[in-house]
Amino acid sequence: MGKTRIVMLPATEVDLTTVKYDPAEIEAPHITGLSLKFFVKLVELPLIGSLIIGQIKKQNKMNQILRDTLIPEPPMFRPEFPPQEPESGVVFLKEDGKSEERVESAVKCLPQYDPASNHNSASTPFRYWKIRDYAYSYRSSLTTPSKVAEHVITAIEEFSNKKPATPLLISFNPDDVRKQAAASTQRFQEGRPLSILDGIFIAIKDDIDLYPHPSNGATTWLHELRTVEKDAVSVSKLRRCGAILVGKANMHELGMGTTGVNPNYGTARNPHDLDRYTGGSSSGPVAIVASGICSAALGTDGGGSIRIPSSLCGIVGLKTTYGRTDIKGALCDGGTVEIIGPVASNVEDIILIYATILGSSPADKISLHPSVPCLPDLSSHENSNVVGSLRLGKYTDWFNDVFSPDISNTCEDILTMFSETHGCKVVEIVIPELDQMRTAHVVSIGAEAAASLSPDIQIGMDKKLTLDSRINFALFNSFTAADYVAAQRLRRRIMYHHMEIFKKVDVIVTPTTGMTAPLIPKSALDYGESNIKVTGNLMRFIIAANLLGLPAISVPVGYDKQGLPIGLQIIGRPWAEATILRLAAAFEGLRVDTKQPASYFDILKEK
């Protein structure tokens, strides 16, 4: 008998009242150490490897979803957004203007700054130093960028010299940092700082170009084939504002993992518990911010790579709308799910960095028709009324599908407090076809990554990848052209479902991750690790923002019983960064239980 053919109803005819939540678990073996090395050899054998990959795909219904199903929608090969209603209570920015002018406009959107509130004490909850704290200290001659640079360099070197190695940066030149800091110090002495970001220390993920550093994507070899001749577009905007760019931050190799494990350079550790992962793939950018060493960092996000580690390490991470920031100069600049975005310890610093780097590429302006970028006016008396008018969508069955009940309980408690404080409505929603969305995403990001790496594979460079990367690419290379087209048909369906949901709510709220920071197996430090079940827990709520190009932000809202951070995710309509930033700031304002990470450097207070 032949296979059963599944025929999907057109998305417009799906009856949401009949949708039942399916808590599907990803099926794949957990392998690390020498077993991982042996497994990779099997996977790369022509016949046996195909059988293993085929079995993994069968267990996870991938062929059923992609090959045995008639999907009536035409493919959507990159996000296509319907026109959006303008946001309320915002300040519009000039996308083509100077980055220095945009960030100064952003400062005016923030609440009034009080220097007296910028000190931690035994009687107040811990809080990170903000960018405006540094700016105030520089302008008041309390310190200089050069003095701070020495503290930053000492802290970075202390991490790098730990045993086993836990490098935050994998390309770092202390003399270059001192040179940038000296130039910034001189500008302050002459009374002509370039912007609020002058003298602010920022790290750049290793898949984003920062001249003259190489961009390896945390491989050991990519610099041999690809030279860096200038800054990525987003990096150049930070440099024009006077930011001090400290170097290239560690990451999960080529961004193809969610833990941050990296046998090539050493694995970045979670500042709240050094025996645990940071999450990935933007492990280094998040760890260096969560440790207090840098005020902000740039990461990339193709499958939660900014939001996952931000949640696990207790800081804020923004995934912008697809095309809102120019991705030129990143290794993933040919994909349809990736963006460049900021991580920072708090929402106001996210706003400042976002305002600096935003701006669509010329091609995206033509094809995506982005709305005019804007920021929430948090200084306005109307801000509270705007927050109270927003409708928050919650799919309860999905919301509660977490590895640890501490996560859903904490997120539920803060959501209840938020609703009671601001008067906004929490609306029950249903999101269909979550399993299909997960499959469409892995095919899209996987096939695009495999296509990007194909010339390098042809000359044998795939054998230099880490073991878990080699397993990933064995799966990715098994996808056919028909699989890719089927995934894009699903993308159009799922976009329709979400746009219908956004007619009823302004945002969708979920936990950011389905688990808190996992422990690092000792054997993973040398060989890496393949743990797809952990990946499934970390990515459970992540995928819609990448597959559909929607903006999303992770904001810390509490801790589990082990003291590990928990993040809440806010997903917005296309181009609605102002709305999710406004809500993130309001959620942040309810926090009273913030804790200093176990590994923390008080860079500004150091004498």
Side-chain angles (χ1 to χ4, degrees):
M1 293 180 62
K3 292 181 179 179
T4 302
R5 185 170 180 256
I6 302 168
V7 180
M8 299 183 89
L9 284 173
T12 55
E13 298 177 18
V14 173
D15 182 0
L16 296 185
T17 63
T18 66
V19 172
K20 302 295 183 184
Y21 180 71
D22 178 14
E25 291 289 335
I26 298 177
E27 297 296 332
H30 173 207
I31 316 171
T32 187
L34 291 173
S35 298
L36 182 63
K37 198 170 185 178
F38 178 69
F39 185 74
V40 168
K41 288 186 176 181
L42 290 179
V43 165
E44 292 180 342
L45 290 173
L47 181 58
I48 296 175
S50 296
L51 292 173
I52 294 172
I53 294 297
Q55 181 63 22
I56 291 173
K57 290 163 75 172
K58 181 180 179 181
Q59 287 178 322
N60 292 283
K61 302 179 182 178
M62 297 184 75
N63 286 344
Q64 181 188 90
I65 291 170
L66 297 167
R67 300 180 184 179
D68 302 339
T69 303
L70 179 61
I71 307 165
E73 283 72 24
M76 177 189 290
F77 289 104
R78 67 204 302 257
E80 298 172 10
F81 305 125
Q84 301 296 309
E85 293 292 325
E87 297 169 274
S88 302
V90 298
V91 173
F92 292 98
L93 302 177
K94 294 180 180 178
E95 184 173 11
D96 296 323
K98 295 181 179 180
S99 51
E100 307 95 302
E101 295 173 352
R102 282 198 306 275
V103 74
E104 291 307 315
S105 296
V107 172
K108 296 175 183 177
C109 293
L110 302 178
Q112 185 174 356
Y113 177 71
D114 179 10
S117 68
N118 66 352
H119 297 287
N120 289 312
S121 69
S123 61
T124 60
F126 166 78
R127 81 169 183 85
Y128 287 94
W129 297 111
K130 296 182 179 181
I131 287 173
R132 287 197 289 178
D133 295 329
Y134 282 89
Y136 173 80
S137 295
Y138 294 155
R139 284 162 173 75
S140 303
S141 300
L142 299 176
T143 190
T144 68
S146 288
K147 290 180 181 178
V148 174
E150 294 306 318
H151 305 320
V152 169
I153 291 167
T154 299
I156 291 171
E157 290 178 341
E158 181 175 324
F159 259 94
S160 298
N161 293 330
K162 287 181 181 292
K163 300 295 182 183
T166 59
L168 301 174
L169 300 177
I170 56 180
S171 182
F172 172 55
N173 183 340
D175 290 338
D176 179 60
V177 173
R178 290 186 176 101
K179 181 178 178 181
Q180 294 180 66
S184 178
T185 297
Q186 184 173 348
R187 290 192 293 270
F188 279 104
Q189 291 172 344
E190 295 172 353
R192 53 179 188 86
L194 297 177
S195 76
I196 193 78
L197 297 185
D198 207 334
I200 302 301
F201 292 79
I202 297 176
I204 308 298
K205 188 178 179 182
D206 193 38
D207 61 352
I208 305 171
D209 288 346
L210 169 63
Y211 184 81
H213 297 270
S215 289
N216 267 312
T219 69
T220 58
W221 52 267
L222 195 58
H223 65 281
E224 300 171 14
L225 305 176
R226 182 184 182 276
T227 59
V228 175
E229 298 178 351
K230 60 180 180 179
D231 290 336
V233 172
S234 56
V235 173
S236 68
K237 293 176 180 179
L238 291 172
R239 200 184 290 276
R240 283 200 295 270
C241 288
I244 297 172
L245 307 171
V246 300
K248 303 301 292 296
N250 204 350
M251 60 181 286
H252 205 120
E253 187 181 60
L254 293 176
M256 291 297 135
T258 58
T259 61
V261 66
N262 192 320
N264 291 333
Y265 298 96
T267 296
R269 306 300 187 97
N270 193 314
H272 289 268
D273 183 342
L274 295 179
D275 291 328
R276 294 181 182 269
Y277 284 122
T278 58
S281 63
S282 301
S283 52
V286 167
I288 203 168
V289 172
S291 299
I293 299 170
C294 287
S295 297
L298 289 189
T300 54
D301 192 319
S305 292
I306 285 173
R307 290 161 288 151
I308 290 170
S310 294
S311 177
L312 268 51
C313 294
I315 64 170
V316 186
L318 173 66
K319 187 265 169 198
T320 56
T321 305
Y322 178 79
R324 176 62 91 188
T325 54
D326 191 336
I327 201 169
K328 185 177 181 181
L331 299 183
C332 54
D333 61 7
T336 67
V337 297
E338 298 92 344
I339 59 92
I340 290 176
V343 298
S345 64
N346 59 86
V347 176
E348 85 166 46
D349 288 356
I350 288 282
I351 289 173
L352 295 177
I353 304 299
Y354 167 65
T356 304
I357 67 171
L358 68 78
S360 302
S361 70
D364 284 344
K365 287 178 184 176
I366 295 170
S367 61
L368 296 176
H369 310 291
S371 62
V372 178
C374 57
L375 296 174
D377 189 354
L378 303 182
S379 66
S380 169
H381 296 298
E382 294 299 313
N383 181 57
S384 180
N385 292 335
V386 176
V387 171
S389 70
L390 296 172
R391 301 161 298 171
L392 282 58
K394 176 188 171 215
Y395 185 12
T396 298
D397 288 343
W398 189 37
F399 191 99
N400 292 334
D401 184 13
V402 292
F403 185 75
S404 166
D406 289 353
I407 295 173
S408 53
N409 291 340
T410 299
C411 290
E412 182 69 50
D413 289 347
I414 197 82
L415 200 55
T416 300
M417 186 190 306
F418 188 86
S419 180
E420 292 173 350
T421 302
H422 295 284
C424 54
K425 293 182 179 179
V426 178
V427 180
E428 183 65 25
I429 59 173
V430 173
I431 306 175
E433 301 172 11
L434 291 171
D435 205 20
Q436 286 81 356
M437 179 167 66
R438 183 182 70 191
T439 298
H441 173 263
V442 73
V443 172
S444 297
I445 192 171
E448 290 165 9
S452 174
L453 203 64
S454 181
D456 305 329
I457 291 175
Q458 297 303 316
I459 59 173
M461 290 299 187
D462 55 319
K463 303 304 180 187
K464 295 185 178 182
L465 293 172
T466 57
L467 297 174
D468 69 301
S469 292
R470 288 164 69 175
I471 293 173
N472 288 337
F473 279 96
L475 172 64
F476 299 160
N477 284 313
S478 76
F479 298 140
T480 65
D483 293 338
Y484 186 76
V485 172
Q488 309 322 305
R489 291 179 183 275
L490 290 171
R491 192 194 313 230
R492 187 174 296 279
R493 282 181 69 86
I494 296 161
M495 178 71 85
Y496 173 82
H497 294 317
H498 279 73
M499 292 306 102
E500 288 298 297
I501 290 168
F502 281 124
K503 292 178 182 178
K504 303 172 185 175
V505 300
D506 297 290
V507 299
I508 299 169
V509 290
T510 73
T512 305
T513 61
M515 69 186 304
T516 51
L519 287 164
I520 305 172
K522 290 183 179 179
S523 56
L525 297 175
D526 292 328
Y527 295 99
E529 179 183 20
S530 179
N531 192 340
I532 303 301
K533 290 202 173 189
V534 163
T535 295
N537 281 318
L538 292 175
M539 293 185 68
R540 177 157 292 128
F541 306 104
I542 288 298
I543 294 168
N546 295 108
L547 183 67
L548 307 182
L550 303 173
I553 192 167
S554 178
V555 60
V557 292
Y559 304 89
D560 70 4
K561 290 183 177 65
Q562 297 171 292
L564 300 172
I566 294 169
L568 181 80
Q569 178 180 224
I570 307 166
I571 306 171
R573 294 186 178 106
W575 314 117
E577 282 85 359
T579 295
I580 65 173
L581 288 166
R582 186 190 307 278
L583 283 168
F587 274 107
E588 185 180 66
L590 297 178
R591 292 286 307 282
V592 294
D593 63 339
T594 52
K595 302 174 184 177
Q596 180 174 302
S599 179
Y600 174 73
F601 294 85
D602 197 342
I603 297 296
L604 189 56
K605 193 175 180 180
E606 291 284 346
K607 300 300 181 184

